[in-house]
Amino acid sequence: MPNGVGTQGLNLNFSPVKATVIVGVNNTIIFEDNDTAAKYHNVDFSAVPSGSTVTLGTTSPNLTNNQSWTVILTTPGTYTYACDYHSWMRGTIVVLAAP
């Protein structure tokens, strides 16, 4: 999360407004907070594929500047997430199975 992304009125630092990442199975995703302006950010999964080890509603701990949270996505499908504190911070991760 870039510096200033959680500041009211300065949310243009979160660009694009919706991030989409496509990765293979068993990839490690690291969410890193580099925002010195906002007190907290988090990652709250609102959709996960059936059978995923990441359950619907899985939420990271609150992250502050220089903290990170790691998740390994083992099930192919689409995962959507958002920050509970900043509604414009959301994204989609598509996990593809090996051919």
Side-chain angles (χ1 to χ4, degrees), residues 1-15 32-42 63 65 83-90:
M1 291 151 234
N3 190 34
V5 71
T7 305
Q8 183 69 23
L10 299 178
N11 59 16
L12 298 177
N13 287 334
F14 192 70
S15 178
E32 186 174 297
D33 185 348
N34 293 308
D35 186 2
T36 60
K39 185 172 182 178
Y40 296 117
H41 293 290
N42 71 358
L63 302 175
N65 187 42
C83 174
D84 288 330
Y85 301 102
H86 309 100
S87 61
W88 62 90
M89 297 175 63
R90 59 190 183 278

Side-chain angles (χ1 to χ4, degrees), residues 10-86:
L10 299 178
N11 59 16
L12 298 177
N13 287 334
F14 192 70
S15 178
V17 174
K18 180 180 178 185
T20 300
V21 179
I22 300 173
V23 298
V25 172
N26 294 325
N27 273 282
T28 301
I29 306 296
I30 302 170
F31 294 90
E32 186 174 297
D33 185 348
N34 293 308
D35 186 2
T36 60
K39 185 172 182 178
Y40 296 117
H41 293 290
N42 71 358
V43 178
D44 184 357
F45 283 94
S46 58
V48 298
S50 178
S52 173
T53 55
V54 175
T55 58
L56 185 64
T58 293
T59 305
S60 73
N62 287 333
L63 302 175
T64 59
N65 187 42
N66 292 322
Q67 290 184 325
S68 62
W69 181 66
T70 302
V71 64
I72 299 173
L73 303 177
T74 60
T75 305
T78 300
Y79 299 75
T80 59
Y81 65 89
C83 174
D84 288 330
Y85 301 102
H86 309 100

